[in-house]
Amino acid sequence: MWVMNAAATSLPPLSSVPDALGHFGPYGGTFVPETLIAALQQLDAEYTKAKNDPTFQEQFEYYLREFVGRPSRLYHARRLSEKWGGAKVYLKREDLNHTGAHKINNCIGQALLTQRMGKKRIIAETGAGQHGVATATVGALFDLQTDVYMGAEDVRRQSLNVFRMKLMGASVREVHSGLKTLKDALNEAMRDWMGSVDSTHYIIGSVAGPHPFPMMVRDFQSCIGREARQQCIEKEGRLPDAIIACVGGGSNAAGIFYPFIDDREVKMIGVEAGGRGSALGQHAATLCAGKPGVLHGSLSYVLQDEDGQTADVHSVSAGLDYPGVGPEHSFWKDSGRVEYCCITDQEALDAFEEVARLEGILPALESAHAFAQAAKVATKMTKEQILMINCSGRGDKDCQEVARLINR
């Protein structure tokens, strides 16, 4: 049995947030130009109605089941369990979803909302390209004009996903400002949305941004945790002892954590990108090294320099290469309910190879961060304990970059 800290055990139910204004404790809210307020209010109202509309829920479940291929498998990783020598290791196989990651869950939900609002165009930002591919996929599925903003450095690192997006009819808008990565792509997508709100819906891919996005994306992704909960009970007769997931903006982690948030006996660990070192600009460990600030429409932990300016970040993983994080993760950190740590580029690369060699599974570089931390945690657990890892995506997209980095 894990021992929770005092802060976590004294908390009221964490599943009750956010409030009506999108606040997770002190975090969240809506910090955007006035031109976006009406669009956000429309989205909030439409989502509130959709949550209580059986027809919408039936549509959502239909596409998750018949198109995405849910439920995703909960797989006993026997060789990793043996190698790590401690806990019984299970993988929640989001990499087996159509498009190869968890991102499609949220995109299906937001595309259905786009139709309800009568809009014909969707835009998105993407780092590793998985959210971009998922957005392009629903654009093709629902006949929506699709534009995806992507930093030029990520276009280089994720050329396969760029091709996939274009193949499905999306326009990939290459961004050359800043570090040419995820933050810069999000900046440009926000600018587009400010000028096109009447006809366009912005499908934010993470649990970040202004209300209602953090709540809405979490809700759409919670199918991961609900399934994992039921599957673990069916296989083992009880809940897992610990769950580990990588955290960039935080959608896959929120999706698997949220349905367990009131189960205090389940330890939860979010793993950030430790990059090349602890100096500012060498990592993307927002919750481990950041402080509260406003970024992209909400108050949350942000990596900042001494003047309060958003810091440059680095990660070998394009999907974790972001200086902010979803506000609910900030709330969970302060509450003590979720523990956050970081894994270096090299540790993630080593885990990528180990999982491939031992299990025949290529995890996304994002997910490899979770595997690397799991290897450390598993050795401190007993063989009777259950450790669950959210394998949030597959690593085919990363093979070319990994080969370059390990000189093979």
Side-chain angles (χ1 to χ4, degrees), residues 92 221 224-225 228 243 245 251-260 388 390:
K92 184 57 173 162
Q221 292 293 2
I224 304 171
I243 304 172
S251 62
N252 92 89
I256 197 167
F257 290 167
Y258 184 66
F260 293 90
M388 187 183 294
N390 196 18

Side-chain angles (χ1 to χ4, degrees), residues 100-330:
H102 71 290
K103 294 292 188 180
I104 189 68
N105 306 323
N106 168 57
C107 287
I108 291 286
Q110 291 203 49
L112 290 172
L113 285 175
T114 301
Q115 288 188 320
R116 286 174 68 102
M117 293 185 291
K119 297 184 177 182
K120 303 295 185 183
R121 177 177 179 252
I122 52 176
I123 60 173
E125 86 296 331
T126 196
Q130 290 302 97
H131 177 57
V133 168
T135 302
T137 300
V138 298
L141 179 64
F142 295 109
D143 191 22
L144 299 166
Q145 180 187 340
T146 306
D147 293 281
V148 179
Y149 287 88
M150 190 172 190
E153 171 61 10
D154 292 338
V155 168
R156 180 195 68 78
R157 290 192 284 189
Q158 302 292 341
S159 58
L160 174 61
N161 276 344
V162 173
F163 176 72
R164 293 168 73 194
M165 286 183 267
K166 291 179 177 178
L167 199 60
M168 287 184 282
S171 295
V172 178
R173 308 284 185 174
E174 196 166 323
V175 177
H176 292 272
S177 58
L179 291 179
K180 308 174 187 177
T181 56
L182 183 57
K183 175 176 73 74
D184 312 296
L186 209 155
N187 287 340
E188 291 304 316
M190 280 283 191
R191 290 190 185 99
D192 182 322
W193 198 30
M194 283 189 285
S196 60
V197 290
D198 291 340
S199 61
T200 300
H201 174 59
Y202 179 13
I203 300 183
I204 290 182
S206 197
V207 287
H211 180 66
F213 284 105
M215 172 186 66
M216 183 174 66
V217 177
R218 177 203 70 192
D219 290 351
F220 286 142
Q221 292 293 2
S222 288
C223 58
I224 304 171
R226 289 195 301 272
E227 290 174 6
R229 183 188 185 87
Q230 179 181 344
Q231 290 166 329
C232 194
I233 291 172
E234 289 173 352
K235 290 176 180 291
E236 295 288 342
R238 64 184 183 89
L239 298 179
D241 295 281
I243 304 172
I244 299 181
C246 65
V247 177
S251 62
N252 92 89
I256 197 167
F257 290 167
Y258 184 66
F260 293 90
I261 206 70
D262 291 330
D263 299 300
R264 305 303 172 83
E265 71 274 22
V266 180
K267 184 180 180 67
M268 295 191 284
I269 303 171
V271 187
E272 297 190 298
R276 295 181 290 230
S278 60
L280 201 61
Q282 296 300 303
H283 62 82
T286 306
L287 290 162
C288 295
K291 55 187 178 182
V294 174
L295 179 66
H296 295 139
S298 71
L299 176 66
S300 189
Y301 273 76
V302 180
L303 285 170
Q304 307 169 55
D305 64 21
E306 57 187 16
D307 296 320
Q309 297 300 307
T310 304
D312 291 340
V313 292
H314 161 78
S315 173
V316 69
S317 163
L320 303 183
D321 205 355
Y322 182 61
V325 69
E328 191 160 19
H329 283 289
S330 297

Side-chain angles (χ1 to χ4, degrees), residues 17 72 101 125 214 225 318 348 370:
V17 294
S72 66
E125 86 296 331

Side-chain angles (χ1 to χ4, degrees), residues 334-355:
D334 285 4
S335 74
R337 180 62 185 92
V338 180
E339 174 188 321
Y340 295 91
C341 60
C342 58
I343 284 293
T344 67
D345 286 352
Q346 189 57 56
E347 288 173 318
L349 288 167
D350 291 344
F352 184 95
E353 290 192 83
E354 180 176 59
V355 177

Side-chain angles (χ1 to χ4, degrees), residues 32-107:
V32 296
E34 190 174 346
T35 53
L36 293 180
I37 294 297
L40 289 168
Q41 290 174 338
Q42 178 192 21
L43 179 61
D44 188 21
E46 201 62 56
Y47 178 59
T48 299
K49 287 189 289 185
K51 280 196 295 186
N52 299 306
D53 182 352
T55 300
F56 178 86
Q57 295 301 327
E58 287 170 9
Q59 282 184 306
F60 182 52
E61 293 298 328
Y62 169 81
Y63 284 107
L64 289 184
R65 183 180 66 252
E66 302 295 333
F67 187 72
V68 178
R70 303 203 71 88
S72 66
R73 300 294 185 260
L74 184 66
Y75 171 70
H76 178 205
R78 290 175 175 81
R79 295 196 68 198
L80 285 178
S81 300
E82 293 169 3
K83 174 67 185 300
W84 294 343
K88 190 172 187 179
V89 178
Y90 277 94
L91 313 182
K92 184 57 173 162
R93 297 291 306 276
E94 292 300 291
D95 58 310
L96 296 180
N97 291 343
H98 178 49
T99 73
H102 71 290
K103 294 292 188 180
I104 189 68
N105 306 323
N106 168 57
C107 287

